[in-house]
Amino acid sequence: MTLRSYIFAFIFALIPALAAAQRLPEGVTPQHYALSFTPDLQKATFSGEETIDVQIVKQTHAITLNSAELEFQQAEVTQGDKTQIAQTSFDTEKQQATLTVPADLQAGPAAIHINFTGILNDKLRGFYLAKTKLRNYAITQFESTDARRAFPSFDEPALKATFDIALTIDQADTAISNGKITSDTPGPGEGKHTLKFSQTARMSTYLVAMAVGDFTCNEGSADNVPIRVCGTPDKKPLGATALRYAEEILQYYNSYYGIPYPFGKLDIVGAPDFEAGAMENTGAIFYRESDLFIDDKHSSVSSHQEVFEVLAHEMAHQWFGDLVTMKWWDNIWLNEGFATWMELKPSQALHPEWNAALDGVNASDEALRVDALRNTHPIRARAETPEEIDELFDSISYQKGAAVLRMVESYVSPDVFRRGVNAYLRKFQYSNASAEDFWNAIAAVSGRPVDKIMPTFVEQAGEPLITVKASCAAAPPEPKVRSRRRRRARRIAPAQPKTEISLEQTRFWLDASNAPANSTTWMVPLCVKAANAKPFCQIVGQKESVLPVAGGCSPWLFVNANAMGYYRTRYDGDALQKLTAVATTELSTAERLSLLNDEGALVLSGQENVANYLNLISALNQDDERAIVESYLAGLRLVHDDLLTEASKPAFLAWVRSNFSPMFAKLGWTPVAGETDDRHEVRALLIQILGEIGEDPEVINHAVALAGQYSKDETAIDPSLVRGVLEVAAMSNDAGLFQQYMEAMSNPKSSPEQLSDYSRGLDRFSDPKLTEQWLERIIGPETRSQDAAGYLGRVLQNPAAQKMAWEWTKQHWSEVAGKLTTGSGFAIVNATSHFCSANMRNEVEQFFSDHKVAATSRSLKQSMEMMDSCIHFQARQQPNLTAWLEQHASNASAGAR
Ligand SMILES: [Zn+2]
């Protein structure tokens, strides 16, 4: 599954050990389901009938399976030629139904037959109702534990079976499911027809999919696999790009995995209402529209990249997740870490212009930030209840899982890693696997201790901080040599001094001033780069170790060569200065980016002075790679939002403008022909840095003019500039502009991408009168429930609007709560992690203890921890910033003289 970005940011505590286990009893295993459904899209109900062929392991008179919000009309169990009516009892809390028959069932095959009815709910899970202004649709979203809301089932990932599915629907409608349509017959009932789908491969229940409505499709194929991109009829013109990308990706994966795409056909369906980003149902990937439908010519580079990479993620799951599935949800990283690691590969191979490798470095940084909290959790974490399972879909399972895989792949070499991956997939296809199965496969193929390295990162919470000290061991005195000739004859090499690196391994904490005692160590594949020495990697498993480096006394050292390591680094003052001086000449872009991100994290934790971070940005100031500029924006936003005082603000804004204006001047507002994709994106980022962080009135005014032109003519500006321009223009709080954005949100012609861009613009207004209008609309009928919490969360993150928006949220809580879907409450609770004052911290704690949001008690603790840490960050770094700005201002004026 691909989550919305707000979910990536949510984080949670260790699962309480007392949660009630909700697993099915062992003893009955499903082999095959025959399912037929008749949904009623007007009444928002459905009826269903199923036969489950099961294997009974041990004589019994009771069978327990999962069921939630379903009513059973009749249940029978047949064994041999004997059919018995079953008594049904329900355990609502465990979401289970038990069928009891009068006479014992013997070990061997049996068949369960159930007639049932259910509701098409409005919570975007199970079998649910989605609506457009024109009509209703029925859609499924089953991961993690919601197949049981559509049909009684053995709803656990290891209980794989095959499925025959039939849907009886309105004559004018069609349906999409995991298999191909094999028959289409009229009735039963007037105005209806019944579609039957081909039998699926053996798979888990959470991957079953159905969509009913007037979908229209763009059709294509790759390697003889039919591929369709489908949606509501108006979206057809926007599906061609995704289809082209899906064709490219399928061919790439067929070659990478060495197992051809296993599921016959691939449908990719944009659903009008969808909570997650997308869901990898076997052969039928379902999507939120804004992540799928773009206008080939009028979409930004980042939208193209995002559509491509989300497709690459979901399609990677067809092998990692669908073909080979984790045994239980505690290993969800085997699905999500892998798909997240894999999603960048086709992008790097087929679209090198997007530089996806650098996005991998920034994604690792995202995981490292969450993993630095006291309330992080191990990648593999206990999860028993549906709520606990859903909470595991976070940036630890996704981004940390991917980062650890990247590190190990780089350590054993990509070719060897791929051979291990292929062996693992072949061994466990159509079945289930555990973490051990994976690292044993890579260890066997590589001959390296991957089975020792990976458990330290997968089973332990947190991340290593490697503190580096370098020394130069003096050379032994050179023997006296009389002449060059004699020296050559005696082959005496000139004695060389050598560099020694002393490494200390500790656990890195977001707030070092508040760190608990901890003695965790990891088996770190540490990679070293130095002047005059070949880069090398070595496993560092001790708390302290010393590494010699050949090639004489190196003037500088870098201990995360290729930026593939999942660890933070800290250099002592002297080593950092030397590294800063050679960063642009000796380090690769990825390495500079990891240094910049590590220094930013050290500043937050209180282990580095913000002055050194700003010095590093100044030293890199001509480094305008997109990923680096993204990192500047994120780091400077923290300084801007949390450290400025009335007194320090003017000097900081002046520094931002003087530092970044020359870079922007080189690019200008308008793209020139033949520019790279990166240039388009960098221009947009610089407009944000100068407008949002530098608050440059010229940039804001120009953005206002461009936003006005854009609202009249969508071709008026470069598509890649739209989002940044709309956001920066909103800082003007221009009421006319606000109305234009609001009208665009109501315009049926606005594309999903435009709706997303305008909503982000609306989130950036801060005039209370305007913000209030936007907030009212967020809870009103015009805003889809899939979007509401995300929009509100972003207003709460806007430092200029957050106080007012927080007051408003408290006052309008009952309407806000009414808009929440199953998992969207996280967006609001998590947004409060951006508050940075003791008052607001206390208010948040009080408010959410009085107003519980489902499944957010742990993410609330995370927000509290981040607010506490921000308060410390502010107290520690504000004086450092002021001192740096004073010095910087005097330097600047000295330079001017
Ligand atoms: Zn996924």
Side-chain angles (χ1 to χ4, degrees), residues 276-277 708 837:
S837 81

Side-chain angles (χ1 to χ4, degrees), residues 534-567:
K534 210 171 148 224
F536 66 95
C537 300
Q538 185 160 330
I539 305 287
V540 173
Q542 307 294 323
K543 199 132 196 74
E544 289 178 357
S545 40
V546 176
L547 291 186
V549 181
C553 262
S554 179
W556 55 270
L557 279 168
F558 186 70
V559 299
N560 190 0
N562 288 327
M564 291 292 185
Y566 186 76
Y567 48 88

Side-chain angles (χ1 to χ4, degrees), residues 801-813:
Q802 75 189 179
K803 275 209 179 75
M804 177 264 158
W806 172 240
E807 286 305 317
W808 182 93
T809 301
K810 288 189 292 181
Q811 282 160 21
H812 295 78
W813 185 251

Side-chain angles (χ1 to χ4, degrees), residues 777-896:
R777 186 181 165 126
I778 289 174
I779 53 170
E782 275 194 279
T783 301
R784 288 182 180 282
S785 53
Q786 67 166 12
D787 297 320
Y791 292 169
L792 174 56
R794 281 204 308 267
V795 182
L796 289 167
Q797 290 176 46
N798 174 0
Q802 75 189 179
K803 275 209 179 75
M804 177 264 158
W806 172 240
E807 286 305 317
W808 182 93
T809 301
K810 288 189 292 181
Q811 282 160 21
H812 295 78
W813 185 251
S814 60
E815 291 110 306
V816 172
K819 274 288 198 184
L820 298 181
T821 55
T822 311
S824 66
F826 285 118
I828 295 167
V829 173
N830 178 66
T832 64
S833 69
H834 291 256
F835 298 174
C836 196
S837 81
N839 273 349
M840 284 175 83
R841 180 215 178 278
N842 295 341
E843 281 189 24
V844 168
E845 187 169 36
Q846 186 60 49
F847 183 79
F848 286 119
S849 76
D850 297 343
H851 305 84
K852 299 262 186 258
V853 182
T856 59
S857 62
R858 296 177 196 103
S859 101
L860 178 59
K861 282 184 202 151
Q862 315 303 314
S863 284
M864 311 306 300
E865 185 181 347
M866 290 170 83
M867 283 185 265
D868 284 336
S869 134
C870 185
I871 292 163
H872 292 157
F873 163 65
Q874 197 168 65
R876 267 191 312 260
Q877 300 287 4
Q878 255 175 357
N880 293 339
L881 177 66
T882 302
W884 184 81
L885 286 169
E886 275 166 13
Q887 190 198 3
H888 185 83
S890 62
N891 282 352
S893 54

Side-chain angles (χ1 to χ4, degrees), residues 204-475:
S204 309
T205 44
Y206 78 90
L207 294 166
V208 172
M210 296 177 282
V212 179
D214 58 352
F215 296 108
T216 57
C217 306
N218 292 276
E219 299 187 19
S221 70
D223 289 353
N224 297 318
V225 175
I227 304 178
R228 300 189 300 173
V229 171
C230 310
T232 58
D234 56 310
K235 297 299 182 306
K236 190 166 182 197
L238 302 178
T241 310
L243 177 62
R244 192 175 77 237
Y245 288 159
E247 290 170 340
E248 294 175 5
I249 293 163
L250 192 122
Q251 287 179 319
Y252 178 87
Y253 284 161
N254 273 349
S255 147
Y256 182 94
Y257 287 122
I259 298 174
Y261 175 77
F263 302 119
K265 63 89 178 166
L266 177 61
D267 288 328
I268 297 160
V269 184
D273 284 302
F274 200 75
E275 185 169 72
M279 174 65 210
E280 67 270 18
N281 310 306
T282 308
I285 298 170
F286 288 0
Y287 257 83
R288 159 182 293 246
E289 289 175 336
S290 58
D291 286 342
L292 182 64
F293 295 123
I294 52 172
D295 183 328
D296 203 26
K297 294 225 162 46
H298 299 121
S299 286
S300 67
V301 170
S302 63
S303 293
H304 275 271
Q305 189 180 353
E306 192 174 335
V307 166
F308 186 94
E309 287 172 5
V310 175
L311 272 169
H313 179 104
E314 302 307 328
M315 290 171 70
H317 272 311
Q318 302 296 314
W319 287 263
F320 275 116
D322 296 7
L323 185 63
V324 177
T325 312
M326 73 275 144
K327 281 188 178 135
W328 183 251
W329 299 104
D330 60 341
N331 268 317
I332 186 61
W333 75 283
L334 282 177
N335 281 9
E336 297 305 348
F338 274 87
T340 305
W341 159 73
M342 194 65 183
E343 72 190 33
L344 299 182
K345 286 200 163 292
S347 177
Q348 283 171 259
L350 305 172
H351 293 275
E353 69 275 17
W354 294 334
N355 288 319
L358 298 177
D359 296 326
V361 178
N362 276 340
S364 295
D365 182 65
E366 206 177 303
L368 287 162
R369 279 170 194 269
V370 175
D371 212 14
L373 291 164
R374 278 177 293 157
N375 293 303
T376 182
H377 65 92
I379 289 180
R380 175 154 73 181
R382 184 179 181 277
E384 291 294 328
T385 66
E387 207 167 283
E388 290 167 353
I389 292 163
D390 284 348
E391 282 174 325
L392 275 185
F393 288 78
D394 70 349
S395 53
I396 295 298
S397 298
Y398 283 72
Q399 313 295 13
K400 182 179 179 182
V404 170
L405 292 171
R406 255 195 302 278
M407 174 169 70
V408 172
E409 179 193 26
S410 170
Y411 172 65
V412 301
S413 94
D415 275 348
V416 171
F417 192 78
R418 171 177 164 168
R419 286 210 304 278
V421 164
N422 292 356
Y424 162 83
L425 289 173
R426 267 195 306 277
K427 185 166 176 189
F428 296 99
Q429 57 185 328
Y430 303 107
S431 180
N432 296 77
S434 68
E436 285 77 8
D437 295 325
F438 177 75
W439 58 60
N440 290 339
I442 306 293
V445 168
S446 67
R448 305 266 195 113
V450 174
D451 52 340
K452 305 280 187 301
I453 296 168
M454 286 195 73
T456 67
F457 286 91
V458 171
E459 289 171 350
Q460 303 187 128
E463 71 214 34
L465 170 66
I466 305 289
T467 302
V468 184
K469 285 200 181 83
S471 63
C472 191

